[in-house]
């Protein structure tokens, strides 16, 4: 009898501990995702006014016991009626796709080289990949200004070698934005690719070679298909944050680079139109839901 009671108390403590462990991430998502999302959604349904805060209240309390809801879809209708916002979304999508492809090409070659390196060197090479994270993101972007500007290190080096006669115009162009994005988000592509390539069964490559398959064909028919989970994970980790990127386009792209992150910042701090800015953020989040769900499914398949 005593033994059964102890067993029951032990099981209760185990299950209560499991509930606590499961509840922590749900509470985290509730506090830092759902509540901010609800606040932004509430603001997007309001109307702009000259006040603090600069939007109307969603609930109005009158003489009745229940409050009246004053919601407006005017901000969303305004976004679809103004071509600026549509162009900003399309431009952000284009820059995110091209940046993801460039990051994948460079990141795959680096991850493959690290995975093929001797075991004693892999830790050092991975540390070199992670090393930029030890420096502030903003400082790293500012460093590219000193490299890419007209009197920067890149132009001085090319002119001193004799490759060019006059400085190249790279700053305040889309090329500078691509360089900054690829450099900043490259580790997010390399790490999942390396984790996938490092645990690949090398006997499959040896079997393909024994069957007369050339190295290039082996790479495309064996290595690439086996590394698809890492490719998907790296692409989603790069594409999703680049869609809302603000710092790199603002510092390296100048006024001509149109991205939704810059438009969002302008609406909040210059125009002080918080309902429109919140509607921009809600639509951006809705556009990113699909790749986020695809990323989660790819992670579930990789784990299983």
């Amino acid at each position: 009898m005593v033994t059964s009671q102890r067993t029951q108390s032990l099981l209760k403590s185990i299950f209560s501990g499991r509930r606590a462990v499961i509840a922590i991430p749900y509470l985290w998502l509730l506090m830092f995702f759902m509540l901010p999302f609800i606040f932004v959604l509430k603001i997007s349904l309001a109307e702009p006014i000259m006040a603090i805060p600069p939007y109307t209240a969603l609930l109005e309390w009158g003489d009745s016991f229940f409050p009246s809801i004053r919601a407006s879809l005017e901000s969303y209708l305004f976004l679809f009626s103004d071509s600026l916002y549509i162009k900003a979304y399309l431009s952000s999508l284009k820059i995110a796709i091209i940046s993801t492809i460039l990051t994948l090409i460079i990141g795959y070659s680096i991850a493959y080289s690290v995975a093929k390196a001797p075991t004693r060197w892999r830790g050092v090479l991975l540390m070199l990949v992670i090393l930029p994270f030890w420096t502030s993101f903003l400082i790293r972007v500012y460093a590219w200004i000193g490299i890419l500007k007209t009197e920067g290190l890149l132009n001085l080096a090319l002119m001193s070698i004799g490759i060019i006669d006059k400085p190249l115009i790279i700053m305040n162009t889309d090329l500078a934005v691509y360089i900054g994005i690829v450099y900043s988000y490259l580790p997010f592509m390399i790490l999942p690719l390396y984790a996938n390539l490092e645990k690949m069964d090398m006997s499959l490559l040896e079997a393909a070679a024994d069957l007369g398959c050339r190295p290039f064909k082996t790479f495309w028919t064996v290595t690439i298909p086996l590394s698809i989970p890492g490719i998907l994970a790296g692409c989603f980790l790069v594409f999703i944050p680049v869609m809302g990127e603000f710092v790199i386009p603002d510092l390296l792209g100048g006024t001509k680079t149109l991205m939704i992150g810059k438009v969002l910042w302008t609406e909040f701090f210059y125009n002080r139109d918080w309902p429109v800015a919140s509607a921009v953020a809600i639509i951006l989040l809705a556009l990113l839901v699909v790749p986020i769900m695809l990323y989660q499914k790819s992670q579930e398949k990789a784990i299983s």
Side-chain angles (χ1 to χ4, degrees):
M1 186 69 180
V2 177
T3 305
S4 61
Q5 291 178 352
R6 289 179 179 178
T7 305
Q8 291 178 359
S9 62
L10 180 61
L11 290 175
K12 287 181 180 179
S13 62
I14 290 174
F15 282 112
S16 62
R18 288 181 179 178
R19 291 194 187 99
V21 171
I22 296 173
I24 291 174
Y26 282 103
L27 290 174
W28 179 274
L29 290 175
L30 178 65
M31 291 294 295
F32 297 102
F33 178 76
M34 286 303 300
L35 289 181
F37 173 77
I38 292 172
F39 290 148
V40 174
L41 180 63
K42 178 181 77 71
I43 296 173
S44 69
L45 298 175
E47 297 178 359
I49 57 174
M50 297 296 294
I52 300 177
Y55 56 88
T56 58
L58 186 62
L59 300 178
E60 289 187 351
W61 297 87
D63 297 333
S64 62
F65 181 77
F66 296 100
S68 60
I69 300 176
R70 186 180 176 183
S72 174
L73 297 176
E74 184 179 350
S75 299
Y76 293 94
L77 297 176
F78 175 73
L79 293 183
F80 291 105
S81 62
D82 194 337
S83 61
L84 172 67
Y85 301 98
I86 298 175
K87 290 179 180 177
Y89 281 114
L90 294 177
S91 177
S92 298
L93 183 62
K94 182 195 75 171
I95 292 175
I97 291 175
I98 296 176
S99 300
T100 303
I101 293 173
L102 294 174
T103 308
L104 174 61
I105 294 172
I106 300 173
Y108 197 100
S109 60
I110 297 175
Y112 189 81
S113 301
V114 175
K116 287 288 187 178
T119 306
R120 65 178 183 276
W121 291 106
R122 291 179 186 176
V124 177
L125 295 174
L126 285 177
M127 186 190 70
L128 294 177
V129 172
I130 304 173
L131 196 61
F133 285 111
W134 296 4
T135 308
S136 171
F137 175 77
L138 191 61
I139 293 176
R140 286 185 279 134
V141 177
Y142 268 111
W144 277 105
I145 297 177
I147 296 173
L148 300 177
K149 66 181 182 180
T150 307
E151 303 84 9
L153 297 176
L154 179 61
N155 280 316
L156 291 177
L158 294 177
M159 292 177 67
S160 62
I161 297 173
I163 297 178
I164 58 174
D165 297 329
K166 57 181 180 180
L168 300 174
I169 305 300
I170 302 177
M171 277 295 300
N172 299 326
T173 63
D174 288 345
L175 177 59
V177 175
Y178 290 132
I179 292 173
I181 290 175
V182 170
Y183 166 77
S184 301
Y185 290 93
L186 192 58
F188 295 100
M189 182 68 74
I190 294 174
L191 294 178
L193 282 172
Y194 168 78
N196 185 266
L197 292 170
E198 192 269 338
K199 61 182 181 181
M200 185 180 298
D201 189 0
M202 294 301 173
S203 62
L204 298 175
L205 303 180
E206 296 175 358
D210 293 338
L211 293 174
C213 190
R214 295 183 177 180
F216 184 77
K217 188 176 181 181
T218 303
F219 177 78
W220 282 104
T221 57
V222 179
T223 305
I224 291 293
L226 291 176
S227 59
I228 285 179
I231 292 174
L232 292 176
C235 288
F236 287 134
L237 287 175
V238 173
F239 176 82
I240 292 172
V242 169
M243 273 292 293
E245 181 60 50
F246 163 71
V247 175
I248 296 174
D250 185 62
L251 295 180
L252 301 182
T255 57
K256 294 183 180 179
T257 303
L258 184 63
M259 289 192 72
I260 200 64
K262 293 180 62 176
V263 174
L264 183 64
W265 190 89
T266 302
E267 291 294 343
F268 261 117
F269 296 100
Y270 276 176
N271 300 337
R272 289 190 59 80
D273 194 341
W274 287 25
V276 171
S278 300
V280 171
I282 293 296
I283 294 177
L284 178 62
L285 182 61
L287 292 175
L288 293 178
V289 164
V290 174
I292 289 173
M293 292 177 64
L294 292 175
Y295 171 68
Q296 289 180 342
K297 288 185 178 180
S298 67
Q299 289 297 101
E300 291 175 359
K301 290 181 180 179
I303 294 173
S304 62

